[in-house]
Amino acid sequence: MSTIRINIVLFGIGNVGSTLINQVIESQNFFLESKNIELRFPIITNSTLAFFEKDGLKNQWEANFAQSAIPYTIDDIIEYVQEQQLENLIAVDATASEDLIKNYIPLIQNGFNIVAANKKANTLHTDFYKELRRNLKKFDKSFLYETNVGAGLPVVNTINELYSSGEKITKIRGVFSGSLSYIFNRFSTEDATFSSILLDAEKLGLTEPDSREDLSGNDVARKLLILAREIGLELEFSDIKIKSLLLPELNETTSKANYSVNKSLFDKPFQIAKITQADEHVLRYIGELDVATQQLEVKLVSEPKNSALGQLKGADNSIEIYTQSYGEIPIVIQGAGAGRAVTARGVLTDILKIAEKIKIKEAVWL
């Protein structure tokens, strides 16, 4: 079979985006030999600059970007791929940008499939959610976002397949944040302050660039909303009851500088929460969806140490899916819930799924 060339336009070359490029470069020969797929990056961008290289990136891509990247618009990118007659297009969103999401539909209309680590497109108003999917259907394009929930874990796919098979999902519950899993797993077992563990999580790249996004509960809430919508519930972000971990004096309105130097304010309230629990219990920050009542909650709970959530280690996520067929015994998906390498690998898996789909379409036409 002839090799199929996939052209990837990568938005975002931070932790996840740069790791993705390096993973592709390292595995390129494997994909060629085992799958007859060649992955190319003719365009890579950060928030303001784009580097255009129609033959794809080489190992020195960072130096080339620094030397040759230029300001761009989405129209510039669409015009470039059309001029170069690039086919089999995938736009990869490895950003946290709300602005880029507005360009998903124009990209789809101009021949792009989309893979997103960015959660925000799936948590905007349901009108946009539906319009996006109408365009995907109209232009016969794919939109994959497995890493939106649980980094590289197959949570979205499992929920989607259960729902598509007619299975009645009754409840979804679990630890959805790798960063908060790491923080509370350590806080429960170590004699260390909450703020010191939070700083470690930031240094390891486990949190969002601004860790208040994690502590606010918004990140967990988005993941819960994404799963609720996967099973047909027309809910909005505003429907979620979020009990934030932030403090009145240290919240989203605090300046970034003040937040950075005053994290020790977290120590006393969390220490009190820790020592006032029942014996053999640990703190966990969870998301919970009750399908019958359509109630979504994000909250701090105290779990028995010997429970599934109580036994979590490292930055693992653990998501429990309760269904009519399985009754009181949930399907449990557990594993690394954060980190640039697992997230990038999850994005790469989605890219390869779309590549295989394109390959099948081409084989049918041939």
Side-chain angles (χ1 to χ4, degrees), residues 38-200:
E38 179 186 4
L39 300 180
R40 285 191 170 190
F41 292 90
I43 307 170
I44 58 172
T45 84
N46 63 18
S47 57
T48 57
L49 302 175
F51 173 60
F52 296 82
E53 175 52 82
K54 67 181 173 65
D55 291 328
L57 302 179
K58 304 294 183 270
N59 287 316
Q60 69 277 17
W61 68 268
E62 288 165 297
N64 288 339
F65 186 91
Q67 291 167 7
S68 305
I70 57 174
Y72 76 98
T73 66
I74 291 294
D75 288 340
D76 294 333
I77 285 172
I78 291 170
E79 187 178 325
Y80 182 83
V81 299
Q82 289 173 346
E83 283 177 356
Q84 299 295 330
Q85 298 183 325
L86 299 179
E87 297 181 317
N88 306 328
L89 298 165
I90 302 177
V92 173
D93 182 357
T95 75
S97 168
E98 293 193 11
D99 292 332
L100 181 56
I101 292 160
K102 298 167 189 171
N103 294 298
Y104 279 15
I105 291 174
L107 286 167
I108 291 162
Q109 292 170 341
N110 283 278
F112 283 85
N113 299 279
I114 296 178
V115 170
N118 189 346
K119 307 171 190 69
K120 293 175 182 174
N122 285 319
T123 58
L124 292 180
H125 194 277
T126 49
D127 288 347
F128 175 82
Y129 188 87
K130 290 177 179 177
E131 182 63 20
L132 179 60
R133 281 152 179 81
R134 274 195 292 269
N135 276 275
L136 289 165
K137 188 173 182 181
K138 179 179 177 181
F139 292 92
D140 192 24
K141 297 300 172 188
S142 297
F143 173 35
L144 298 184
Y145 42 89
E146 187 62 72
T147 57
N148 277 197
V149 182
L153 298 177
V155 181
V156 173
N157 191 52
T158 301
I159 295 276
N160 195 280
E161 287 184 352
L162 285 167
Y163 180 68
S164 298
S165 72
E167 180 61 270
K168 185 177 181 183
I169 295 169
T170 57
K171 184 166 71 172
I172 300 169
R173 180 180 188 269
V175 171
F176 289 86
S177 167
S179 55
L180 296 177
S181 179
Y182 171 86
I183 290 166
F184 284 109
N185 293 344
R186 280 190 57 191
F187 187 61
S188 297
T189 58
E190 297 179 20
D191 186 18
T193 63
F194 186 89
S195 60
S196 67
I197 298 170
L198 172 59
L199 285 168
D200 287 345

Side-chain angles (χ1 to χ4, degrees), residues 236-252:
E236 301 293 349
F237 189 82
S238 57
D239 294 321
I240 308 169
K241 294 180 182 176
I242 306 171
K243 292 185 180 174
S244 172
L245 297 173
L246 293 170
L247 307 173
E249 66 272 33
L250 209 63
N251 58 30
E252 294 101 332

Side-chain angles (χ1 to χ4, degrees), residues 341-355:
V342 290
T343 305
R345 189 64 64 181
V347 169
L348 179 51
T349 299
D350 279 348
I351 290 169
L352 291 168
K353 283 181 182 176
I354 292 176

Side-chain angles (χ1 to χ4, degrees), residues 210 212 250 254-263:
D210 184 338
R212 284 176 292 184
L250 209 63
T254 309
S255 73
K256 198 162 186 179
N258 282 340
Y259 173 70
S260 295
V261 298
N262 287 308
K263 291 191 176 92

